[in-house]
Amino acid sequence: MSTVTSAWFDCASGASGDMLLGALLDAGASLAAVRGAVEAVAPGDIRIRAEKVLRCGLSATKVHVDTATRPPHRTWHSIRATLAEAALPEPVRERAQSVFARLARAEAAVHGIPVDDVHFHEVGALDAIGDVVGTCAAHHDLGIGSATATPIALGSGRARSAHGEIPVPVPAVLRLLADHGAPARSGDSPFEMCTPTGAALVLALCADWGPMPEFRLLGGGVGAGTRDLPDTPNVVRVVLGAAAPDAFRDARDDTPPGADAMVLDANVDDLDPRIWPHVLARLMELGASDAWLTPILMKKGRPAHTLSVLCAPSVLPAVRELVLTETSSIGAREYRVTKRELEREITTVAVGTATVRVKVARHLGRVVNVQPEYEDVAAAAEHLGIPLKTALAGSIAAAEGLAEDKRADS
């Protein structure tokens, strides 16, 4: 289907992996794409089926994850290696890794053990791998960028686990939501309404919380839980749309439309400064649009930096994961912005016998900026055996000449 910019998940009846996957399939995600991604991770071990069911009279899609065998308990280390080696689209791989990383941290905190030693029990079983990878693949297939969710209903009472009977909400769910400051409520049903997998998926898919935002509606879907309750539909709903304000932009406005983007800020006051170049480079490798440091003075007069990262909503989970693991930050601020970019192209100019790439930017079809690529200028200086400043001056002069030619052609 065409690219969707926004989604809203209604978790009034909780969340689980099969419910979220069912909602995305019901909204139009390709079952073939989901099966292909799951097969890439666990060849021949998992079969994904979907059927239409009723939940409290409401039509919904119920997902079944069939497995031939029950594998032994798996560690986060082994699951991470499996995902890294699988032939998956990079956004699907990163989001699935983010989900399992969240689960591993939560389980490690609950049981007081190192993260890499966590045995996932039910979460590491093939059915849960199918839920996680399948949901991430369906999300990617729909082209969802930003997403919002309601506060999650958690349930009450007690539930069975690999460790015996435990209270609801289960400890891993509480830890997951608390670590990310996510809103929740008990809900109306006396059983487990939100599973750890469901909580981790919602956290990985959604950057905001609250009621359905303003956007132009494009469709939606309903995913069914296992129970059919008498008084309330046991479902997760997803609504898809084109995000405002660009969805309602006046047709007379000829400025380039803005794109939905996210900014993550983290204040860091105790990181070895030699680590910063590595962090900034890794953020750009993950797909961030930009990353920068701002010197600040924190409480008690401590010098520090604010790390800021600009990225697409789909990249935010991986960016957040890196910031929280590669720096000493213990939290971050995230907020949505509208990013407007000029139309651009890359061309080349000659500086002596060297070639230098030049970025040309246009506004409403008119060339407004040209800039040589610094790395090419430095390489040209070395190739020609001339000072860097001489190569830079020659590159700028050639770029300005190119710009005049392009302005004449505009």
Side-chain angles (χ1 to χ4, degrees):
M1 65 180 294
S2 60
T3 298
V4 174
T5 58
S6 292
W8 176 68
F9 289 90
D10 180 1
C11 302
S13 294
S16 64
D18 59 336
M19 293 168 76
L20 290 162
L21 177 54
L24 293 171
L25 288 172
D26 201 55
S30 166
L31 181 58
V34 168
R35 286 172 170 166
V38 172
E39 179 69 13
V41 176
D45 290 333
I46 302 174
R47 180 183 174 221
I48 304 292
R49 295 184 293 116
E51 65 169 330
K52 281 292 188 179
V53 298
L54 291 177
R55 290 293 179 263
C56 201
L58 182 66
S59 177
T61 293
K62 178 72 178 80
V63 169
H64 300 275
V65 180
D66 300 325
T67 61
T69 61
R70 285 289 172 180
H73 296 167
R74 301 182 180 205
T75 65
W76 162 223
H77 178 78
S78 67
I79 293 175
R80 182 171 54 205
T82 299
L83 290 171
E85 296 168 0
L88 294 170
E90 200 56 34
V92 177
R93 184 196 328 280
E94 290 176 356
R95 187 164 282 112
Q97 288 175 330
S98 175
V99 172
F100 279 110
R102 294 168 196 273
L103 286 165
R105 288 197 299 268
E107 293 285 355
V110 167
H111 299 296
I113 60 176
V115 172
D116 277 349
D117 292 344
V118 167
H119 285 259
F120 279 110
H121 306 293
E122 297 94 337
V123 173
L126 290 174
D127 53 353
I129 292 175
D131 283 341
V132 171
V133 175
T135 300
C136 295
H139 180 277
H140 178 66
D141 182 69
L142 287 170
I144 296 172
S146 62
T148 303
T150 65
I152 306 175
L154 305 182
S156 60
R158 306 189 76 79
R160 297 292 303 175
S161 78
H163 301 286
E165 191 174 83
I166 55 177
V168 175
V170 300
V173 167
L174 291 179
R175 186 73 190 207
L176 278 161
L177 299 178
D179 282 349
H180 295 82
R185 62 187 188 86
S186 65
D188 303 321
S189 300
F191 56 80
E192 184 182 21
M193 300 176 70
C194 180
T195 66
T197 303
L201 277 166
V202 173
L203 289 168
L205 299 179
C206 301
D208 289 325
W209 305 90
M212 188 172 71
E214 178 186 5
F215 52 36
R216 179 168 53 86
L217 296 178
L218 298 178
V222 182
T226 301
R227 294 181 177 89
D228 187 11
L229 306 175
D231 300 321
T232 184
N234 183 26
V235 299
V236 165
R237 290 192 301 153
V238 62
V239 178
L240 307 178
D246 289 330
F248 307 103
R249 195 163 59 96
D250 193 321
R252 296 169 295 178
D253 180 4
D254 57 0
T255 59
D260 205 28
M262 300 297 299
V263 172
L264 180 148
D265 287 337
N267 292 349
V268 183
D269 67 347
D270 55 359
L271 185 71
D272 188 321
R274 293 173 294 182
I275 296 176
W276 280 123
H278 165 76
V279 170
L280 295 174
R282 286 284 292 115
L283 288 167
M284 300 305 293
E285 290 170 4
L286 286 177
S289 302
D290 203 357
W292 64 97
L293 294 176
T294 304
I296 59 173
L297 194 66
M298 295 182 63
K299 62 186 178 182
K300 301 180 181 179
R302 294 199 303 265
H305 290 89
T306 296
L307 169 63
S308 299
V309 188
L310 176 68
C311 64
S314 60
V315 179
L316 181 62
V319 165
R320 183 192 302 121
E321 179 77 14
L322 188 142
V323 170
L324 294 177
T325 56
E326 293 276 2
T327 79
S328 55
S329 173
I330 59 174
R333 301 173 297 279
E334 301 170 2
Y335 51 93
R336 181 176 286 108
V337 297
T338 297
K339 177 184 174 185
R340 293 185 182 270
E341 293 184 352
L342 296 180
E343 178 188 353
R344 64 191 68 183
E345 65 175 299
I346 299 293
T347 187
T348 60
V349 295
V351 179
T353 58
T355 299
V356 173
R357 289 173 298 165
V358 175
K359 185 181 295 180
V360 180
R362 286 184 170 85
H363 178 58
L364 302 179
R366 180 170 57 89
V367 175
V368 295
N369 192 27
V370 292
Q371 188 64 44
E373 294 290 345
Y374 176 80
E375 290 80 5
D376 287 12
V377 175
E382 183 175 355
H383 172 74
L384 298 171
I386 60 177
L388 177 59
K389 64 180 181 181
T390 303
L392 182 59
S395 299
I396 292 175
E400 287 296 336
L402 175 67
E404 289 302 320
D405 292 340
K406 288 186 174 291
R407 290 187 183 103
D409 294 338
S410 298

